[in-house]
Amino acid sequence: MARYNNSDISIVYVKDEPVEPFTPAETFVSNEARETTEIVVDLCLSFIIANVGIVSNIIVIIVFAKQGFSESMNISMTTIAIWDLLKCVSGSIQRMSGPISLYSRANAESWENIMAVCMNYFISFATYVSSVLAAYVAVERCLCVTLPFTVKTLLTPKITFISMVTISFVVFGCFVVVFGIYDIVWVYSPKLNVTIAVYRYSAFFKAHHGPLMQYYNLSGVIWPTFSFIVIVTCTFIISYQLQKASKFRSGNAVASSTSAPASSGASMSVRDRQVIKMLLVIIVIYVINLFPRVALYMVKYFIYDFYFLRRYHNLFMVIVCWVFVFDLTNATVNLFVFLTMSTNFRATAKALFGCGVKDKS
């Protein structure tokens, strides 16, 4: 069972030339173990997370839209929520092969392979986009802590909107060429006794294999690694500044009333500090969920056979299943962070979905 591959779909009906479905070598991981992992982790766990993410991101978008976009944070977090929503929708559609298999194994396998071609890389690339957007937010919040008055003047809602759109197009556009790697072909399956859809490397891939894969692997390493480094660096800076501001506020009254200069963190309002703490939690979540993907691409970059349709296909598939759990979880949890840490968000959400119940906090 071949899965998790993408391309511009070229449907080819094979008549005279038989094309056998790919049979992976059982190196490190058996076919049975891979299939069990796909069913339990991917078709069940990831499917549930993806559907929860669809609902949670729709709520996030509606709440921020209700609040308006006069603040840059609402714009940036709404943009991330849109990409997370697209990611979760793609993840859910791709995993519909599970329910389909209850009445037709052949249709389920065809759906599985075709949707892998349509959706799998989209989920990965949407993850890259949202991670770079998160890196931008981390830099923005970092500057808000260190240079609060200057940043509020320069990073206007209009600048934030332009930055979000530009990042989305640039990052996603870097990977569009990868959608041409695979073709979908229809072959007869002796096991299922019916013609099913499978994928194979396209003519475009075979003609440009060397530079195409070098570009893809390099891009797949650079973007998430860049985002990871920026997010981690900004997290440390924000944490340090907030800690310094906390010590300043808790210092003795004599020191605070003298001519000692106030720190930038101390000059922030209580609301600004709470917003930054909330975004800090979101950034930490990105760090935790981004690390497995960075590690995966690092290994894939240096080990050629660690990829789809190659020697370590089964091992790669098992790891990818868990990476997608992290990706989809990251696309799902922001709503719960907002509800827990943002009074304004919680009040708006309750007004919209809680029959007008007012927030008492």
Side-chain angles (χ1 to χ4, degrees):
M1 180 170 57
R3 307 183 66 236
Y4 293 107
N5 298 277
N6 247 327
S7 72
D8 283 328
I9 302 179
S10 296
I11 303 298
V12 180
Y13 290 89
V14 180
K15 296 180 180 179
D16 301 325
E17 178 187 358
V19 178
E20 293 296 328
F22 172 72
T23 302
E26 299 188 87
T27 306
F28 297 123
V29 177
S30 66
N31 290 332
E32 183 180 358
R34 172 182 55 80
E35 291 178 357
T36 301
T37 302
E38 289 176 342
I39 293 172
V40 175
V41 177
D42 194 65
L43 294 182
C44 294
L45 181 58
S46 289
F47 183 70
I48 293 171
I49 295 173
N51 283 286
V52 172
I54 292 173
V55 177
S56 67
N57 283 292
I58 289 175
I59 293 174
V60 169
I61 294 169
I62 291 174
V63 171
F64 280 131
K66 177 65 175 179
Q67 290 181 343
F69 300 109
S70 59
E71 296 186 9
S72 61
M73 190 202 75
N74 286 18
I75 296 173
S76 58
M77 299 314 298
T78 300
T79 306
I80 291 175
I82 291 172
W83 278 104
D84 286 343
L85 174 61
L86 294 174
K87 187 195 308 183
C88 290
V89 169
S90 299
S92 178
I93 291 175
Q94 181 180 347
R95 289 157 181 83
M96 285 299 294
S97 58
I100 293 174
S101 67
L102 297 178
Y103 69 88
S104 174
R105 177 57 187 164
N107 289 339
E109 190 150 342
S110 293
W111 178 279
E112 183 177 34
N113 291 326
I114 294 175
M115 289 299 105
V117 166
C118 297
M119 301 297 179
N120 179 68
Y121 279 153
F122 181 86
I123 297 173
S124 298
F125 302 158
T127 298
Y128 298 149
V129 174
S130 62
S131 67
V132 177
L133 293 175
Y136 173 87
V137 172
V139 171
E140 183 184 63
R141 291 303 105 182
C142 183
L143 293 174
C144 284
V145 170
T146 55
L147 302 169
F149 300 112
T150 304
V151 170
K152 286 185 178 181
T153 302
L154 296 177
L155 296 181
T156 62
K158 181 179 180 180
I159 295 298
T160 299
F161 174 77
I162 294 173
S163 300
M164 294 290 106
V165 174
T166 302
I167 290 172
S168 297
F169 275 101
V170 170
V171 177
F172 192 81
C174 286
F175 293 97
V176 170
V177 66
V178 180
F179 286 101
I181 289 180
Y182 298 98
D183 285 336
I184 293 292
V185 298
W186 292 88
V187 302
Y188 176 78
S189 172
K191 180 177 69 174
L192 300 174
N193 194 31
V194 69
T195 299
I196 63 171
V198 299
Y199 56 76
R200 66 177 180 182
Y201 289 123
S202 65
F204 171 74
F205 173 82
K206 293 175 181 177
H208 306 282
H209 169 260
L212 178 62
M213 292 309 297
Q214 287 180 359
Y215 170 80
Y216 172 50
N217 288 333
L218 193 61
S219 298
V221 170
I222 288 177
W223 282 114
T225 304
F226 168 79
S227 301
F228 185 81
I229 293 173
V230 170
I231 290 173
V232 169
T233 302
C234 291
T235 300
F236 278 115
I237 295 174
I238 294 172
S239 299
Y240 171 76
Q241 290 292 342
L242 290 180
Q243 186 178 24
K244 188 169 78 170
S246 178
K247 289 181 179 179
F248 180 89
R249 291 192 305 273
S250 62
N252 60 73
V254 175
S256 62
S257 61
T258 62
S259 59
S263 68
S264 60
S267 66
M268 291 186 297
S269 67
V270 174
R271 181 179 180 279
D272 285 341
R273 287 195 296 270
Q274 184 61 28
V275 167
I276 290 174
K277 288 180 180 179
M278 178 187 70
L279 293 176
L280 187 62
V281 172
I282 294 174
I283 289 169
V284 170
I285 292 173
Y286 266 96
V287 171
I288 295 172
N289 287 282
L290 194 57
F291 178 77
R293 180 164 288 279
V294 172
L296 174 70
Y297 271 81
M298 285 293 186
V299 175
K300 183 173 73 69
Y301 183 77
F302 292 105
I303 302 177
Y304 174 83
D305 285 326
F306 185 67
Y307 198 56
F308 304 112
L309 305 181
R310 295 176 186 167
R311 181 180 177 185
Y312 303 129
H313 176 89
N314 283 353
L315 177 61
F316 185 78
M317 285 299 309
V318 169
I319 295 176
V320 163
C321 285
W322 284 106
V323 168
F324 274 108
V325 169
F326 280 93
D327 287 346
L328 293 171
T329 299
N330 188 40
T332 301
V333 299
N334 284 351
L335 170 66
F336 306 102
V337 176
F338 294 145
L339 289 174
T340 302
M341 303 191 67
S342 174
T343 302
N344 287 340
F345 185 95
R346 188 164 59 249
T348 304
K350 284 189 175 183
L352 287 170
F353 307 106
C355 300
V357 178
K358 295 183 178 180
D359 185 74
K360 297 181 180 180
S361 58

